[in-house]
Amino acid sequence: MSIVSTTDLKRVYESGATEVKAVNGVSLSIEAGEFAVLAGPSGSGKTTLLNLIGGLDRPTDGSVHLDGELLNDKSDDELTRARLFKIGFIFQAYNLVPVLSAYENVQFILQIQGVPDSKHEERIMPLFEELGLSGLAHRRPGELSGGQQQRVAVARAIVGHPSIILADEPTANLDSESAVALLNLMHRLNLEQKVTFLFSSHDKKVIDIAQRVISMRDGKICDDHKKTQ
Amino acid sequence: MMILRIAWRNLWRNRRRTQLTMGAMIFSCAMLVFSLGYYDGFLWSLINNATEKENGHVFIALPGYYASPTLEDACPEAISSQIPENVKSEIKGVCPRLQAYALLSCGTEEENRTQPGQIIAVDYQAELANSKLAGDIVKGDFLTGDAREILLGQGLARKIRADIGSEIIFFSSAADGSIASEILLVKGIFSSGENMRDSSLAIMNLKAAQRLLALEERVHSHRLFLRNPMQAEEIASRLNAAQKSLEATPWQSIFPQIADILKIWLGVQLFTVAIYYAAMALITFNTMYMAFLERMHEFAVMQAIGLTRGLLAMLILCESIIMATASGIIGTAIGAGANVVLFYHPIDLSRWMESITWGGSSIQPILFCVPSLLSNLLPLLAMILLGFAVAALPTWRLYRLKPVEALREG
Ligand SMILES: Nc1ncnc2c1ncn2[C@@H]1O[C@H](COP(=O)(O)OP(=O)(O)O)[C@@H](O)[C@H]1O
Ligand SMILES: [Mg+2]
């Protein structure tokens, strides 16, 4: 069963007299365990599509199913719950809570999910180990480099065992070395822990690591191919 | 809970802003508590000035005596058995008094001056403990219990040309119809500031007067001094309910003008709180709202990762409630502290200001405060309410926040 499936998805922005068809009829399905990238130039609709899939935005037309559930019908608070339990977000600007330490940023998710406190450490520490963050647990985001912050963001996205991780240009703020390192980490999590990833990028080096490349242009999918290992 | 932790740390994030906002809140709360304490102090002095020399907080005498006093209508000196226990515990002191009219003269065979005067006879120890009678002495001393002592008002002393140590011939009629006369010695001269009173009043010892006026072990009135003068009406009605042989009159019936102020007092206090905090709300609201707008992006992120709007509202509420409550507690402590200090050590401003006579009392130029539960709780509770009020608009904005838009902006 696919984790995400969209049918003829459309999102039209009306700015004054002009209409922008940011996503213009996308039918897409992501299977469990995939490591897929949305590739395409700036303005091609990647962010809009990810937001629609993540329930942050509502489509003008078409439908989004997440884990078999139709998102269109859900109320705002239901969408928030769906994001909490089913989706892990990674943002271009990291977006960690600045007043919380790296550890607390990750713990925050477990707490609002209602995971008992006694379970937090055993869920977070191995993840920090895996992501090379063990020594940085008590630092605040301001005391971490961009690459380190983004790894904390990865930990935060993954810790709640979501069905899929959505990452909008996760490497755009990183230098190419950190970018590739981060992608390799994400790929390893994908292979070892079977975490499903859908991320966007226009960086060729990053795109090359993906196992499936979905190319977008003008709000439409213009190419979708899987690499053979 | 993480929400509380975030709220708490956010307060320290922009330390300067938090300090300024809290400083303003603490200051206004302290000022408010202080002002309310001062209002209460003002009212207390007004009541005390009206009551302490004459009628006490509750005036007890035979039924009808207060309205039309006569020499014969005297009640027993010992009334302890008539006072219910739940009243006794509220009483700070009792001053028994006799009241009569007499001719007072002073002088030599050749030049003698005589004046009619009002005599009040007091238990000097009870007066020293409860009333401010002794404070009016401007020359000589207060009574010491000696049978032949008399105190004269300044005006009266001038009229009969008496001075400390002068012999005064006291001439009156006793309750049994006999003639009461005695030679007394001027022990002290007093000035209460009220000319009428000072030009006709003389004060002597109760024991001596009882003997002279044939009223042994009898007095005309008992003046109760209460721990809390505001309770006078309540105490008087308890006394009147408990027995019928004596009549208790609270100061409120004697000074209706002052009692009227008391009736609107709570309103005045609430109004003051409202004014203070309306100004306060504007200041805090602005800074809080700015702080909120700056963090719109952060709120959007939290919503994106799964924090419901309810929890976000809670976060905002926590921040403003923590700030308001902490400021309220500190401010109340400071204001109440100042009230307590001025309750025990009032500051006398008579060097710079005159006293004013009003409504049968006088307003003294004195910085005196009464700390009360109400004047402390009212500002504190209002401050916490302010915390809720200040959080209201940000919370409303939050409910309309579209996370995608806020995220894109950041
Ligand atoms: N809030 C908005 N209002 C109007 N137009 C928008 C808005 N968000 C995005 N767009 C437009 O939609 C198109 C797709 O944008 P976006 O999804 O951000 O593409 P990408 O992430 O691939 O750069 C662009 O033309 C962009 O200008
Ligand atoms: Mg984009």
Side-chain angles (χ1 to χ4, degrees), chain A residues 124-135:
Chain A
I124 298 168
M125 284 329 281
L127 210 51
F128 270 32
E129 199 100 350
E130 177 97 33
L131 293 164
L133 292 166
S134 308

Side-chain angles (χ1 to χ4, degrees), chain A residues 108-169:
Chain A
F108 192 33
I109 298 294
L110 295 181
Q111 222 170 51
I112 49 183
Q113 278 190 344
V115 176
D117 286 6
S118 57
K119 294 265 182 341
H120 291 181
E121 203 170 322
E122 67 190 59
R123 293 231 342 227
I124 298 168
M125 284 329 281
L127 210 51
F128 270 32
E129 199 100 350
E130 177 97 33
L131 293 164
L133 292 166
S134 308
L136 308 172
H138 295 291
R139 295 222 193 146
R140 298 259 180 110
E143 302 162 340
L144 297 171
S145 72
Q148 289 167 338
Q149 285 188 60
Q150 199 59 306
R151 278 182 277 152
V152 176
V154 171
R156 175 175 73 177
I158 215 169
V159 73
H161 298 326
S163 310
I164 188 168
I165 308 270
L166 301 177
D168 191 13
E169 313 229 14

